[in-house]
Amino acid sequence: QVQLVESGGGVVQPGRSLRLSCAASGFTFRSFSMHWVRQAPGKGLEWLTFISYDGSDRHYADSVKGRFTVSRDNSKKMLYLQMNSLRPEDTAIYYCAKDGDPYYWYMDVWGKGTALTVSS
Amino acid sequence: EILLTQYPSTLSLSPGERATLSCRASQTVRGSLAWYQQRRGQPPRLLIDGASNRASGIPARFSGSGSGTDFTLTISSLEPEDFAVYYCQVRSDSPPPITFGGGTRVEIK
């Protein structure tokens, strides 16, 4: 079945870096764009970044632009989120999601998420 | 930037009742509105795309409607598993390209 599994979360000090990973299975990964979305404790959903199926098009939320970088390895069916200069407000559950439509950009499959805590 | 306002923020209803959730956009949406359900401790799940198309496996009691700036998610008869938080989401031509609403919590009365 279609599945996304995030990993790489944990506890990190402010200012440090971390890379999240998302392993995809059950669909033709190289044919679909992907998203990262996060959810701070007790808060709503915040879209972070989009990467097109071939990695040629990328978009970021202002809150992470210049600090976070999305990438993918289609040969390994992997999606990544490199996070630099982490701040306490980056504390959240991070979800990767499969794009469901190349025009409308809704998210039709979600992983269970990986939790990140930024604290000294 | 498109802002999405969901109301009410909390809806208190009993099982079997009808739920009507609203999502208002700050400017005209070009038909890309989606609805998601998030149960406690779980990731979001796509319910509706294109404002009114039920996603695969979504029960018929869920329906979406609306156009322009005003959209509605209706749950015709609440089942126990429907008590959750619901989010609307839209794609925009101007940054940021994706926006979520603040969510509506449907709780048991």
Side-chain angles (χ1 to χ4, degrees):
Chain A
Q1 73 281 20
V2 178
Q3 192 172 15
L4 298 170
V5 179
E6 302 92 339
S7 61
V11 180
V12 64
Q13 293 179 326
R16 303 298 290 265
S17 298
L18 199 68
R19 188 179 80 160
L20 304 182
S21 300
C22 170
S25 60
F27 65 102
T28 307
F29 180 72
R30 65 179 181 272
S31 298
F32 291 92
S33 301
M34 298 291 293
H35 304 266
W36 284 98
V37 176
R38 71 183 178 186
Q39 187 169 36
K43 302 297 185 182
L45 302 173
E46 179 187 14
W47 172 82
L48 296 180
T49 180
F50 163 95
I51 183 168
S52 61
Y53 68 98
D54 61 356
S56 63
D57 189 26
R58 308 180 197 201
H59 299 268
Y60 297 91
D62 285 347
S63 59
V64 303
K65 196 175 297 182
R67 298 190 301 126
F68 290 11
T69 302
V70 63
S71 63
R72 63 191 297 159
D73 185 335
N74 285 344
S75 67
K76 296 181 179 179
K77 300 182 183 179
M78 293 293 294
L79 176 72
Y80 303 103
L81 184 65
Q82 177 66 42
M83 304 182 294
N84 299 331
S85 302
L86 283 164
R87 306 166 179 168
E89 55 264 35
D90 294 320
T91 295
I93 296 175
Y94 286 73
Y95 298 102
C96 64
K98 171 183 166 289
D99 186 74
D101 187 279
Y103 188 69
Y104 289 130
W105 290 13
Y106 56 83
M107 294 149 224
D108 63 350
V109 180
W110 295 65
K112 294 187 187 306
T114 187
L116 170 67
T117 300
V118 182
S119 174
S120 54
Chain B
E1 177 183 4
I2 293 182
L3 300 178
L4 296 178
T5 302
Q6 291 189 242
Y7 57 95
S9 57
T10 303
L11 199 52
S12 298
L13 295 168
S14 300
E17 288 193 296
R18 183 184 188 90
T20 303
L21 288 67
S22 298
C23 177
R24 176 165 290 170
S26 59
Q27 55 187 275
T28 298
V29 170
R30 55 172 176 157
S32 65
L33 193 109
W35 290 93
Y36 301 85
Q37 176 194 66
Q38 187 177 31
R39 295 170 177 152
R40 186 180 299 275
Q42 295 189 18
R45 175 175 72 145
L46 178 68
L47 294 178
I48 302 286
D49 65 77
S52 60
N53 305 315
R54 268 194 309 278
S56 175
I58 301 303
R61 63 181 181 273
F62 291 92
S63 64
S65 64
S67 64
T69 60
D70 290 291
F71 298 85
T72 300
L73 174 69
T74 301
I75 310 171
S76 59
S77 178
L78 283 164
E79 297 288 338
E81 62 268 27
D82 299 337
F83 292 92
V85 181
Y86 294 83
Y87 295 94
C88 56
Q89 174 249 315
V90 67
R91 181 190 174 183
S92 170
D93 289 331
S94 57
I98 291 181
T99 302
F100 285 97
T104 291
R105 179 180 303 279
V106 179
E107 64 176 26
I108 299 177
K109 186 175 182 180

